[in-house]
Amino acid sequence: MQLNSIIKGLFLLATGMFGVPVQAETELSVGYLRVAVPRPATLSNLDVIPENLGLAGAETGLEDNLTTGKFLKQTYVLSANAVFAEDDPIATAQDMLAQSPYLILDAPRDVLLQIADLPGAQNALIFNATAPDVTLRDADCRANVLHSLPSHAMRTDALAQILVKKRWTDLVMIEGTYPEDTAYAEALRRSLTKYGLKLSDRKTWDADADMRRTASQEIPLFTQGFGDYDALLLADEVQDFGRYVLYNTWAARPIAGSEGLSALTWSPVIEQWGAAQLQNRFRDQHGRAMRSADYAAWAAMRTLGEAVTRTNKTDVAALRGYILSDAFELAGFKGRPLTYRAWNGQLRQPIALAHPRALVAQAPLEGFLHQTNEMDSLGLDQPESTCEAFK
């Protein structure tokens, strides 16, 4: 009995020292909804999309929450659903929101907005874990939506920073024809302008070409007209043609963007800052490497866990207020505490600049300053944002 009292006293002292309130037993239920959309046919079958992409990250986040929660009398429950976009995902979302006001969403932009505008979602908190559209953080923002995935603009700003650092200022670009490619290319052009870089020429990929057999003949001819340049940028977000461009260009130049040197939310090559521990936990649990969509869902789940731990509350108003406050910080294994932008709900986070075998750098790079937070040099800054919902 005396030993138990001593242990209990030490626990109370430790929790008080670290600012974690000792709390009554609490339970938080979270939903995960995947709205599946057909993927475009690509030239290669090498990139198999895991069936649990995204959801696996939420499950790892759940385990992390439960590990902490068992000491603080916290319980977390995750319920998941998957539905095709043509099979009325709105009805599924309504049912899930009736069960819990917390929803991690893997859905395209238009579906996300429909769900966020549901009457049953007005007092909910939705985490966008897969839609990178800049407009969701700008004119189409919603006060009940937070973004754990970086926007296109955050990734392309990170890429522009390293282009400046490398002094690769004369640039050309090949962009694909799918909407994802077009959105990324548009964000990339804005980032180049923002950082004073020049896009001297660009071409649109011939969607009818089959590079599996003719890459060594076709790519040199396709790129010969670019002449001399510092680096070639690729906007191929569906991973269709970009792999065949590497080492086949007319001029031997660096390649960056969707292939080559890429700006990524997460990558297996990130091992510093304790990231190897997260990578290993994820691999042990799911038998594969963690991807960007997994990391974004993990960050959403951990955001809720951190907020519950620090506030000892489970209602939406309290958790949302804390998450958007200056007091919130999430340890995201990226070398810096992660926080949310109070003006549009975007999770601030460093962006990895990497190729498939190694981490090259992490943005924001040294020398790219900001008046309040260096991570706000990536993506829409507050003066640029037209988001009104968070005011």
Side-chain angles (χ1 to χ4, degrees):
M1 290 294 292
Q2 185 178 5
L3 181 60
N4 289 339
S5 298
I6 292 173
I7 293 173
K8 182 177 180 182
L10 288 173
F11 172 74
L12 293 174
L13 176 62
T15 53
M17 288 173 61
F18 290 102
V20 179
V22 180
Q23 53 197 43
E25 198 165 326
T26 58
E27 179 176 301
L28 189 78
S29 177
V30 183
Y32 183 96
L33 176 59
R34 178 188 178 216
V35 180
V37 294
R39 286 186 57 82
T42 58
L43 294 172
S44 174
N45 296 319
L46 288 176
D47 298 317
V48 178
I49 305 300
E51 291 184 4
N52 63 349
L53 181 64
L55 175 59
E59 291 173 343
T60 299
L62 173 69
E63 291 301 314
D64 291 351
N65 285 352
L66 289 171
T67 299
T68 302
K70 68 181 179 181
F71 297 108
L72 302 171
K73 298 182 180 180
Q74 297 171 359
T75 302
Y76 297 87
V77 178
L78 178 66
S79 60
N81 274 299
V83 61
F84 287 102
E86 62 268 22
D87 292 338
D88 196 7
I90 308 304
T92 303
Q94 285 177 319
D95 292 341
M96 295 184 72
L97 288 167
Q99 301 299 317
S100 169
Y102 300 105
L103 182 64
I104 301 172
L105 193 55
D106 171 1
R109 170 190 171 277
D110 291 344
V111 176
L112 184 150
L113 290 175
Q114 291 179 56
I115 293 173
D117 290 339
L118 287 170
Q122 298 316 296
N123 294 316
L125 192 58
I126 299 169
F127 287 86
N128 166 29
T130 56
D133 308 68
V134 177
T135 58
L136 291 173
R137 288 85 169 162
D138 199 21
D140 291 330
C141 69
R142 298 293 189 271
N144 57 351
V145 178
L146 304 181
H147 309 277
S148 56
L149 183 79
S151 65
H152 278 318
M154 291 174 67
R155 291 175 52 221
T156 56
D157 279 357
L159 190 64
Q161 286 188 6
I162 199 168
L163 293 174
V164 171
K165 203 77 170 179
K166 297 287 186 183
R167 299 185 180 180
W168 297 340
T169 57
D170 185 5
L171 305 163
V172 297
M173 180 166 67
I174 302 174
E175 61 183 83
T177 57
Y178 293 107
E180 298 94 325
D181 304 334
T182 302
Y184 180 79
E186 183 180 349
L188 193 49
R189 286 192 291 270
R190 286 200 303 266
S191 294
L192 297 182
T193 300
K194 176 179 177 178
Y195 285 98
L197 301 171
K198 181 178 68 172
L199 190 64
S200 58
D201 198 1
R202 68 183 184 92
K203 289 187 176 183
T204 301
W205 180 250
D206 180 2
D208 295 327
D210 186 350
M211 291 298 98
R212 289 171 294 188
R213 295 183 179 180
T214 60
S216 60
Q217 289 81 35
E218 295 297 327
I219 297 294
L221 293 175
F222 189 76
T223 58
Q224 184 176 8
F226 283 143
D228 193 20
Y229 52 88
D230 293 330
L232 170 61
L233 306 180
L234 295 179
D236 176 27
E237 289 296 277
V238 301
Q239 298 180 326
D240 182 19
F241 63 88
R243 73 190 71 215
Y244 304 108
V245 177
L246 275 73
Y247 304 106
N248 278 316
T249 55
W250 179 265
R253 296 292 184 272
I255 291 177
S258 300
E259 295 284 349
L261 181 61
S262 300
L264 305 168
T265 306
W266 191 253
S267 169
V269 303
I270 302 174
E271 297 180 320
Q272 296 174 299
W273 314 292
Q277 298 176 16
L278 176 60
Q279 304 274 24
N280 291 337
R281 288 202 310 275
F282 185 90
R283 188 177 291 276
D284 289 345
Q285 189 174 357
H286 302 290
R288 63 174 178 84
M290 190 180 217
R291 301 192 181 192
S292 292
D294 298 311
Y295 181 85
W298 173 87
M301 196 71 190
R302 284 293 299 121
T303 293
L304 289 170
E306 182 68 15
V308 171
T309 296
R310 298 297 174 179
T311 64
N312 191 20
K313 297 177 181 177
T314 58
D315 62 286
V316 171
L319 295 192
R320 182 183 182 278
Y322 179 75
I323 290 167
L324 292 175
S325 74
D326 293 337
F328 178 86
E329 288 185 352
L330 178 65
F333 302 99
K334 289 190 172 189
R336 306 186 192 192
L338 312 187
T339 61
Y340 283 84
R341 292 171 178 159
W343 65 86
N344 67 359
Q346 172 65 57
L347 180 63
R348 295 184 181 94
Q349 55 188 291
I351 302 296
L353 294 155
H355 60 77
R357 299 286 290 173
L359 179 68
V360 176
Q362 183 170 254
L365 300 178
E366 185 178 354
F368 292 90
L369 305 178
H370 189 274
Q371 61 269 31
T372 56
N373 189 320
E374 289 181 5
M375 284 195 283
D376 285 342
S377 67
L378 303 176
L380 282 177
D381 199 3
Q382 186 169 8
E384 302 172 288
S385 177
T386 60
C387 176
E388 298 287 337
F390 285 74
K391 293 184 178 179

